[in-house]
Amino acid sequence: MAWLNRYADAIYCIVRLTIGLMFACHGGVTVGWIELSCGFLIGFGLLTRLAAFIASGEMAVAYFLTSFSGKVIGHAPTALERFLPILNKGELPVLFCFIFFFTVFYGPGRWSIDALMGKRSTSLS
């Protein structure tokens, strides 16, 4: 399975681009400026770690303010409904939160604007 490693950078770029643009589309529909701007920044790989940190925090707050509190399901949640995102319809905020949290630590990847700017600054010095 080591032969799959050569595709890791390209696949990570596609995943980062897809998730970022999906988040930006979500922000465009709900007029959420954080989602819109962070989604584009993450998708194109510009200031990726900072944008992913902000987006991850926002999704954690969104989960606890909406799904965990029961606002999405329309009634006071039971203990089981509070802790299982599939029961309180909070799987999308949890998924976004952890993907962005992973992105904070993994970084922008080789195929990103951040990587291009890093190459340019090292070649100039």
Side-chain angles (χ1 to χ4, degrees), residues 13-74:
C13 176
I14 292 168
V15 169
R16 192 195 70 238
L17 183 64
T18 304
I19 295 294
L21 293 180
M22 285 175 49
F23 197 58
C25 288
H26 177 73
V29 171
T30 61
V31 193
W33 292 105
I34 294 176
E35 293 100 333
L36 189 64
S37 59
C38 286
F40 281 127
L41 288 173
I42 292 166
F44 295 121
L46 179 64
L47 301 174
T48 309
R49 291 181 195 258
L50 177 64
F53 181 75
I54 292 168
S56 177
E58 185 200 15
M59 286 293 98
V61 169
Y63 174 75
F64 284 107
L65 289 182
T66 59
S67 302
F68 188 80
S69 66
K71 290 182 180 178
V72 175
I73 56 177

